[in-house]
Amino acid sequence: MKKTVLPTIIILLSVFLINIFIQKDIDKETIVAKNMPVPVIQSGNQSVEPVLLFKDNGKITKTLVDKAVHKAHAVNVNPYGEVEIKLPDNDAPLKLSEWDPKTGRELQPFEGGYIPVLANEPGTRVIIIRVETDAGPAVYLGKINVLKLYSFQELLHPAGNVYTILVFSEGESGIREVPSGDETKYVTREVRGTVAEFKEKYHGLDIKNLPTIYVFHQGAIIFRSEDMKELQSFITDISTTFFLGESENWQVELRARQNLSEGTAELFITYKGQDEKPKKMDFHLSGRGWSWGSSGKIPDESGKIFSSSDMRYKLSEIDSIPIELTWDGKKEEIILAYRKNPY
């Protein structure tokens, strides 16, 4: 009996001492974290705090990163969303870089506090965050997860202001870059295969015949055809698109004259409320990748306001455009919906 009691006591004592040391390490890490200003990773309404790798000077190792990756929470970001990393209430500079899990090395650093989101590369990315504050230097690790929302996402151009033209054609499976007129505005890719292959792989698209052509803006389909001449017309010909909306107080019309490379927009706002017409008003519109607003607009004698602007982004039938109107301490939001030529 005595022979078995002693080893048991030794084991229990060892476990107790190990737990004390572990708790001390946890407490030490917690104290360090509390004494340091902690960065915040933000995307839209989401925000997470990164994991502290070490305070003061140290060396980033693969083992250290692998442990931190399991502890860190990822912020989810849409394919064309934005990720900002900053120190709340602190102007201390941040240095950001990406960690490559395959090679166990840091990649090139990022400029400023924004992480460029690569829409065509969905998945988790590991970010190294270096801070310099009055409390001393520290290194953190954060994660962002670029969501995969489209079956064709890897085919899209990663920049939100560049259109993607995909031409699905028959042939040996593969993807070919096609020279475009202005690659700062749109890129063209030919995707070869069979109808059966495309239906299985790109289930979000309605491909029944080949060729089938799609034009995308930030994942949204703004054009579809099986005729290359129609595509050429869509790219080069100027067309007018109308959007209308109204409330008890206002009637709004937006006219966009555009092709895929350039265009202008005209906004007609008419006050129709029962009260005296406003002396001044502000408006703000927003859409996929663009916004437009103005303040201090003065209605004419009939209560009408006119404004115009360049419109770089191609508007289409699928768009639904909110406009916010502010006047005399009041505010309204009206949704402008597509209408065929109302005249």
Side-chain angles (χ1 to χ4, degrees), residues 83-100:
V83 177
E84 182 183 12
I85 301 178
K86 61 182 180 180
L87 281 170
D89 304 320
N90 196 309
D91 295 329
L94 298 176
K95 293 183 179 179
L96 309 177
S97 61
E98 186 166 0
W99 179 267
D100 185 355

Side-chain angles (χ1 to χ4, degrees), residues 2 23 53 94 130 162-163 193 203 214 256 270 285-286 294:
K2 291 182 180 180
Q23 187 60 45
L53 288 180
L94 298 176
R130 291 179 170 84
V162 177
Y163 298 93
H203 47 79
Y214 284 93
T270 303
L285 303 93
S286 59
S294 184

Side-chain angles (χ1 to χ4, degrees), residues 9-39:
I9 293 174
I10 293 173
I11 292 172
L12 292 174
L13 183 60
S14 300
V15 172
F16 175 73
L17 292 173
I18 289 171
N19 286 335
I20 289 177
F21 286 122
I22 291 174
Q23 187 60 45
K24 283 184 177 180
D25 288 340
I26 294 173
D27 292 342
K28 182 180 178 182
E29 182 177 324
T30 303
I31 291 170
V32 169
K34 285 183 177 180
N35 291 337
M36 296 295 299
V38 181

Side-chain angles (χ1 to χ4, degrees), residues 233-274:
S233 176
F234 180 77
I235 294 173
T236 59
D237 294 353
I238 296 289
S239 62
T240 303
T241 312
F242 298 87
F243 296 86
L244 302 176
E246 62 181 318
S247 67
E248 292 183 0
N249 294 304
W250 299 95
Q251 183 177 27
V252 183
E253 177 185 339
L254 175 66
R255 300 178 192 172
R257 290 177 48 79
Q258 306 169 287
N259 60 22
L260 197 60
S261 299
E262 58 185 350
T264 59
E266 297 178 330
L267 186 66
F268 302 85
I269 304 174
T270 303
Y271 181 71
K272 63 173 194 172
Q274 299 300 316

Side-chain angles (χ1 to χ4, degrees), residues 19-307:
N19 286 335
I20 289 177
F21 286 122
I22 291 174
Q23 187 60 45
K24 283 184 177 180
D25 288 340
I26 294 173
D27 292 342
K28 182 180 178 182
E29 182 177 324
T30 303
I31 291 170
V32 169
K34 285 183 177 180
N35 291 337
M36 296 295 299
V38 181
V40 174
I41 307 173
Q42 292 182 324
S43 179
N45 296 325
Q46 298 181 75
S47 64
V48 299
E49 291 184 352
V51 172
L52 179 68
L53 288 180
F54 51 80
K55 185 177 179 291
D56 298 323
N57 297 315
K59 183 179 180 181
I60 300 177
T61 64
K62 187 176 185 304
T63 301
L64 187 64
V65 169
D66 289 344
K67 289 181 179 179
V69 164
H70 290 292
K71 295 170 61 178
H73 295 287
V75 60
N76 292 322
V77 56
N78 289 328
Y80 290 96
E82 287 188 343
V83 177
E84 182 183 12
I85 301 178
K86 61 182 180 180
L87 281 170
D89 304 320
N90 196 309
D91 295 329
L94 298 176
K95 293 183 179 179
L96 309 177
S97 61
E98 186 166 0
W99 179 267
D100 185 355
K102 294 181 180 179
T103 62
R105 296 179 180 179
E106 286 185 79
L107 303 176
Q108 72 277 4
F110 299 113
E111 296 289 337
Y114 287 90
I115 303 295
V117 177
L118 302 178
N120 58 346
E121 295 183 11
T124 301
R125 298 166 63 188
V126 178
I127 308 300
I128 303 297
I129 307 164
R130 291 179 170 84
V131 300
E132 291 280 349
T133 69
D134 294 338
V139 178
Y140 293 85
L141 178 144
K143 293 193 301 187
I144 63 174
N145 179 41
V146 181
L147 300 174
K148 179 161 183 174
L149 302 183
Y150 319 106
S151 60
F152 46 84
Q153 191 163 316
E154 286 83 354
L155 300 175
L156 301 177
H157 193 281
N161 62 343
V162 177
Y163 298 93
T164 302
I165 300 174
L166 297 182
V167 180
F168 293 91
S169 59
E170 191 168 5
E172 185 177 350
S173 297
I175 301 171
R176 181 175 69 92
E177 298 289 333
V178 179
S180 299
D182 187 348
E183 294 190 358
T184 64
K185 296 180 179 178
Y186 62 90
V187 296
T188 305
R189 296 184 173 117
E190 181 188 16
V191 186
R192 296 187 298 272
T194 66
V195 171
E197 289 173 341
F198 294 146
K199 284 186 175 181
E200 180 179 357
K201 190 170 185 179
Y202 306 115
H203 47 79
L205 302 178
D206 181 25
I207 300 176
K208 298 177 181 178
N209 301 296
L210 298 178
T212 296
I213 308 109
Y214 284 93
V215 179
F216 299 90
H217 180 226
Q218 296 189 6
I221 300 170
I222 63 172
F223 174 84
R224 180 192 179 281
S225 178
E226 296 177 3
D227 189 336
M228 293 297 291
K229 291 182 179 179
E230 289 184 3
L231 172 64
Q232 186 62 37
S233 176
F234 180 77
I235 294 173
T236 59
D237 294 353
I238 296 289
S239 62
T240 303
T241 312
F242 298 87
F243 296 86
L244 302 176
E246 62 181 318
S247 67
E248 292 183 0
N249 294 304
W250 299 95
Q251 183 177 27
V252 183
E253 177 185 339
L254 175 66
R255 300 178 192 172
R257 290 177 48 79
Q258 306 169 287
N259 60 22
L260 197 60
S261 299
E262 58 185 350
T264 59
E266 297 178 330
L267 186 66
F268 302 85
I269 304 174
T270 303
Y271 181 71
K272 63 173 194 172
Q274 299 300 316
D275 298 332
E276 184 180 353
K277 69 179 177 66
K279 294 181 179 180
K280 292 183 180 181
M281 62 88 66
D282 307 336
F283 72 83
H284 184 268
L285 303 93
S286 59
R288 285 179 287 107
W290 64 272
S291 63
W292 171 24
S294 184
S295 59
K297 303 295 289 185
I298 301 175
D300 63 16
E301 293 182 358
S302 60
K304 296 181 183 294
I305 294 171
F306 171 79
S307 186

